[in-house]
Amino acid sequence: MREILGRRLQRLRDRFQSLRPDRVQSDGTSSLLEAALTCATTFQWPVLPGVGRSSTDGARCACPDPDCAVPGAHPFDPGLLAASTDPRMVAWWWTNRPTAPVLMATGGSAPCAVSLPAAAAARALVRLDAQGMRLGPVVATPTRWALLVAPYSLERLGELLYAKDHVPSSLRFHGEGGYLLLPPSAASSGGQVRWEREPRPAPPRPADPKSPGARAPQASGTELWLPDVEAVVDALVEASSGAPGGGSRLAY
């Protein structure tokens, strides 16, 4: 499966090589286009470019808000609803803005995510690994890690959290109408976004019992393994509660 995925990614790189402008050098900016195309076409995740940093002051966001809490790492123009899996649209965005961060619109048919402070997340992963839990991709910034999970509705999330005695405010839920910054974008807090756990294919689906020998239908693109939010939230709540201040501080 890894060999098949590797060949598929190489074909994507070859296909869009001619679309890269001369100003995209080997300094890492071309990797943003590659990452955006991989997410959109191989994984079928709707993506769009983030607003990025100001061209005159690299420490400030390019959006009009002088006190932006997540400089460079949020949608602006285009807005979140423009997120697309169309390779032509994705290539056009990043050939015109080769340093733009890669954002994934979460929810719907795309993954959702739960993020928490980096130190608490590292502890949570140790606990989940010890339990034998199979995890999906994990996105890491210097300050926060995000565990990708299967899509969930706001109603389902609300019922899950209502049953908890306490949910630290440092936990953030990226569901329908949300977004997540993906590697290898620049993080809003400085540094770079990376994969703590890279995406990996899901195991083959079981045969459909109504049709002996037939496989359940596969989604277009490469289907990835994603745990349900219920399977991981207990460990994340406990890890966040053990953070300084009882997990009440929300760090971007």
Side-chain angles (χ1 to χ4, degrees):
M1 180 64 75
R2 289 184 179 178
E3 293 178 359
I4 295 174
L5 180 57
R7 289 197 296 270
R8 210 177 266 182
L9 295 180
Q10 186 59 52
R11 286 199 298 269
L12 285 173
R13 295 188 185 103
D14 295 342
R15 179 181 177 186
F16 290 98
Q17 186 70 35
S18 61
L19 294 175
R20 298 178 185 175
D22 293 339
R23 67 177 179 273
V24 180
Q25 304 296 328
S26 59
D27 59 1
T29 54
S30 64
S31 62
L32 291 164
L33 172 59
E34 289 189 8
L37 286 170
T38 298
C39 291
T41 60
T42 301
F43 303 149
Q44 291 293 294
W45 295 348
V47 297
L48 76 161
V51 62
R53 301 291 181 123
S54 168
S55 58
T56 57
D57 182 358
R60 300 184 62 177
C61 188
C63 76
D65 183 0
D67 301 315
C68 181
V70 283
H74 65 88
F76 181 68
D77 183 17
L80 185 61
L81 293 179
S84 176
T85 58
D86 184 345
R88 295 167 298 180
M89 189 74 254
V90 172
W92 186 85
W93 277 331
W94 270 273
T95 52
N96 284 278
R97 297 173 53 194
T99 61
V102 180
L103 299 179
M104 175 181 69
T106 54
S109 59
C112 292
V114 184
S115 67
L116 64 165
R123 292 195 301 270
L125 261 61
V126 170
R127 177 183 174 186
L128 291 167
D129 286 341
Q131 294 174 348
M133 172 68 65
R134 183 179 184 185
L135 297 175
V138 178
V139 175
T141 76
T143 57
R144 295 183 70 82
W145 292 9
L147 282 71
L148 271 61
V149 296
Y152 54 74
S153 66
L154 293 178
E155 292 79 9
R156 178 178 166 193
L157 177 63
E159 292 175 357
L160 176 63
L161 299 183
Y162 182 76
K164 305 298 178 188
D165 294 331
H166 170 66
V167 178
S169 62
S170 57
L171 271 180
R172 183 180 300 162
F173 297 88
H174 309 256
E176 186 74 31
Y179 63 90
L180 189 68
L181 189 65
L182 296 180
S185 307
S188 61
S189 56
Q192 193 173 40
V193 186
R194 61 180 176 82
W195 292 112
E196 174 66 21
R197 304 265 176 109
E198 293 187 356
R200 54 182 177 176
R205 294 187 182 183
D208 185 347
K210 296 181 180 180
S211 178
R215 292 285 180 179
Q218 298 285 333
S220 57
T222 298
E223 191 174 9
L224 301 179
W225 171 258
L226 297 169
D228 289 332
V229 65
E230 292 90 346
V232 301
V233 75
D234 283 343
L236 303 188
V237 167
E238 181 172 326
S240 295
S241 298
S248 60
R249 296 179 182 177
L250 180 62
Y252 288 94

